[in-house]
Amino acid sequence: MTESTTDTQAAALAAAIPGLEAALRDAAARAMKPDMPLLLRLGFFQVVVGYVRTIRQYRKAAGLPSVWPTELTLLLGSVRLFAQPYIYDSALTERQALRVFRIVNALAQSVLTTLPPLEKTKKTAPNPFAQTKTPPVVPRMPAVRTVPGTAGALTMDPAAMLDASIGEAVRAASGVRAMEPAVL
């Protein structure tokens, strides 16, 4: 019993859409009439925006696709284009200009709601924990090294070499010479 009530409601909403679309066409035609006072024209622009919202809700409730007929989308686009120059009218008061800005924005949003939804491309989010490259291999110093001019292998301790070079640098800076063996 619930399904038949829902189907009946959806059918009733779908049947009402052509009448709402006709009212939208009439409001759009009146909004674009020449020689109309600005405040009246702004009222018609608002009515157009209201009809777009209502038709969109009816289409959704009736289970119809969100895509509108092309001629209605083009009509809304022409209403938006007709309203756009009023933004630059220097004779408008601040309140009127603010109202025009809001209406032109609402008309632009209305045009977007009549278009088919954009296809979303699925992008994979980068994994911050995944390593993109293998880290470079750090070469190791050999533990035993043959020093040229010696008979055998000498072990070199890098820490001892560093201490020795720091000690020599300190002595050289302070003017103290290493004790030389006395020659007799």
Side-chain angles (χ1 to χ4, degrees):
M1 184 168 192
T2 307
E3 291 180 359
S4 64
T5 306
T6 306
D7 291 341
T8 306
Q9 289 174 348
L13 291 173
I17 292 175
L20 291 170
E21 289 176 351
L24 173 65
R25 286 185 191 90
D26 185 49
R30 289 178 188 237
M32 294 189 291
K33 267 187 184 177
D35 302 328
M36 183 185 293
L38 179 65
L39 293 178
L40 189 58
R41 187 179 310 278
L42 292 178
F44 277 114
F45 288 150
Q46 285 180 323
V47 167
V48 168
V49 170
Y51 270 117
V52 169
R53 288 180 185 145
T54 303
I55 294 170
R56 187 180 68 234
Q57 291 169 348
Y58 267 62
R59 291 180 71 82
K60 185 176 182 180
L64 296 174
S66 62
V67 180
W68 285 37
T70 305
E71 58 102 6
L72 279 178
T73 302
L74 293 174
L75 178 66
L76 287 173
S78 63
V79 171
R80 188 201 58 80
L81 285 173
F82 188 83
Q84 187 81 28
Y86 287 102
I87 289 176
Y88 309 107
D89 188 359
S90 60
L92 295 177
T93 65
E94 294 299 320
R95 285 181 181 250
Q96 289 172 338
L98 183 61
R99 190 171 172 195
V100 169
F101 277 106
R102 286 182 180 157
I103 289 172
V104 169
N105 182 45
L107 286 168
Q109 291 294 323
S110 297
V111 171
L112 288 176
T113 61
T114 64
L115 297 174
L118 297 174
E119 292 182 20
K120 294 182 180 179
T121 58
K122 187 174 182 179
K123 293 182 180 179
T124 58
N127 184 354
F129 301 108
Q131 291 184 349
T132 56
K133 300 188 246 180
T134 58
V137 178
V138 179
R140 298 183 146 222
M141 291 181 56
V144 177
R145 185 171 176 196
T146 305
V147 177
T150 60
L154 298 176
T155 58
M156 295 176 53
D157 182 16
M161 289 176 55
L162 183 62
D163 288 341
S165 63
I166 291 174
E168 288 177 18
V170 168
R171 277 188 238 114
S174 65
V176 176
R177 292 183 147 235
M179 292 187 52
E180 297 178 9
V183 178
L184 291 175

